[in-house]
Amino acid sequence: MKDRHQQIVDASRKDAVRPWWWPVWMVIRTLAVAYLVILLLAMFFEESLIFFPSKYPNGDWSPQGLTVEDAQFTAADGTKLHGWYVPHGKPLAQVLFFHGNAGNLTHRIDVLRELHRRVGVAVLIVDYRGYGKSEGKPNEAGILQDGRAARKWLAERAGITENDVVLMGRSLGTGVATDLTTDVKPKALILENAFTSMPDVAGVHYPFLPVQLAMSTRLNSREKIASYHGPLLQSHGTIDEVIPFELGQKLYDACPSEHKRFLPFEGMRHNDFHQPEYYDNMREFVMALP
């Protein structure tokens, strides 16, 4: 009993002699531990914070008024992939289109219609691994493999070389399209709502995290586009709340091509649908290609 009493007395004396800053230190330590936990969770779930796939049968898989062919091909690592090919009787070009990070290819039916009817091109749109009917789970290395497998399939289907493919990407897809310019120079590059790198985008949404150091997904388009000298058509909404307009402008400025054009769209947000005038501009761009 005496020992227990003595322990209580000793604990009370210890508390009495703690310095004035002790409560402050306890708060700082608690916040530091919480911050570290948040950082580790963000790193662990990084890919889940980037990719938001919708698997089959979600979506409209029988589009009305649009002829589509199922495209099936395999990535270098054996992942089976699926896409839609929209043929055209007299195409101005063969376009390989990479969509954004959410949904699947069926959510881009309206875009496919505009590309087919107004621009006058044949289009292959591919679902990255884990999206739609494609197998696997998305990650940076994987979706870049998917892009190359899709380019090879389109070239064979259209009877052209891979250099004759026009690469087109939107949002996340701009990172894939830009990466594909580094090994095979395309006929042209079309980018919508593009970014400099994935950590740059993450830094906008998570400014309290050291994303430049912690992120494994890079998709460094700014570095890759520095070696691209071909035709470039780039567009961006001025009030894009997902990928700031400034990031798109910086990517455009990093491209050394003498054959490039930037289209700012006033008052457009990230997921706003382009007006017909945009596709008219794209048709002019495609028609002027050598």
Side-chain angles (χ1 to χ4, degrees):
M1 186 69 178
K2 184 178 179 180
D3 291 343
R4 176 60 178 166
H5 176 73
Q6 187 63 42
Q7 289 176 359
I8 295 175
V9 171
D10 292 344
S12 299
R13 289 175 177 174
K14 185 177 181 180
D15 289 339
V17 299
R18 281 175 178 166
W20 64 267
W21 46 262
W22 182 260
V24 177
W25 162 246
M26 291 300 293
V27 171
I28 293 175
R29 188 175 70 173
T30 301
L31 292 176
V33 171
Y35 179 83
L36 181 60
V37 170
I38 293 173
L39 176 59
L40 292 175
L41 286 173
M43 293 173 65
F44 184 78
F45 292 105
E46 176 182 314
E47 291 173 356
S48 298
L49 295 172
I50 296 174
F51 304 102
F52 301 94
S54 290
K55 293 289 293 181
Y56 175 85
N58 181 276
D60 179 9
W61 294 88
S62 299
Q64 299 298 314
L66 185 68
T67 300
V68 298
E69 299 178 7
D70 283 310
Q72 296 178 336
F73 40 93
T74 304
D77 64 357
T79 302
K80 295 181 180 179
L81 306 168
H82 174 264
W84 270 353
Y85 180 64
V86 183
H88 193 288
K90 296 181 179 180
L92 294 177
Q94 298 286 337
V95 175
L96 175 54
F97 178 48
F98 299 107
H99 60 66
N101 70 328
N104 58 49
L105 55 76
T106 68
H107 300 113
R108 280 77 185 182
I109 291 174
D110 289 340
V111 175
L112 296 176
R113 287 197 180 100
E114 292 296 315
L115 292 174
H116 180 264
R117 298 175 182 176
R118 189 172 291 273
V119 182
V121 296
V123 187
L124 171 64
I125 182 172
V126 57
D127 264 336
Y128 315 113
R129 58 188 62 203
Y131 288 72
K133 295 182 179 180
S134 294
E135 297 179 349
K137 183 179 180 181
N139 56 64
E140 179 177 13
I143 65 174
L144 297 183
Q145 286 188 37
D146 301 343
R148 284 167 172 76
R151 181 177 60 190
K152 182 175 183 293
W153 186 95
L154 177 57
E156 292 176 353
R157 169 63 178 80
I160 59 176
T161 68
E162 294 188 26
N163 298 94
D164 291 324
V165 172
V166 173
L167 300 175
M168 179 178 177
R170 187 182 193 283
S171 190
L172 173 72
T174 64
V176 181
T178 303
D179 181 82
L180 262 64
T181 67
T182 60
D183 60 343
V184 177
K185 300 305 178 185
K187 187 172 186 177
L189 180 63
I190 301 174
L191 303 177
E192 300 177 1
N193 299 347
F195 53 87
T196 45
S197 73
M198 192 57 68
D200 288 345
V201 178
V204 173
H205 299 283
Y206 306 99
F208 53 89
L209 294 177
V211 292
Q212 294 291 346
L213 297 175
M215 285 191 70
S216 60
T217 304
R218 310 305 292 184
L219 287 175
N220 193 338
S221 294
R222 187 175 187 175
E223 179 181 286
K224 296 168 184 175
I225 207 168
S227 61
Y228 177 69
H229 294 268
L232 169 66
L233 178 65
Q234 189 173 333
S235 63
H236 212 114
T238 57
I239 58 172
D240 190 323
E241 75 284 12
V242 177
I243 302 175
F245 178 83
E246 292 74 18
L247 292 186
Q249 184 69 64
K250 288 180 180 179
L251 181 69
Y252 179 79
D253 293 341
C255 179
S257 176
E258 296 180 357
H259 309 284
K260 62 180 184 177
R261 183 182 180 189
F262 189 83
L263 301 175
F265 288 99
E266 293 294 333
M268 280 192 63
R269 297 183 181 275
H270 189 73
N271 290 315
D272 290 343
F273 189 75
H274 282 296
Q275 298 301 310
E277 292 77 12
Y278 166 64
Y279 294 101
D280 291 339
N281 277 289
M282 191 185 300
R283 179 180 174 86
E284 293 178 7
F285 172 77
V286 173
M287 290 182 67
L289 295 176

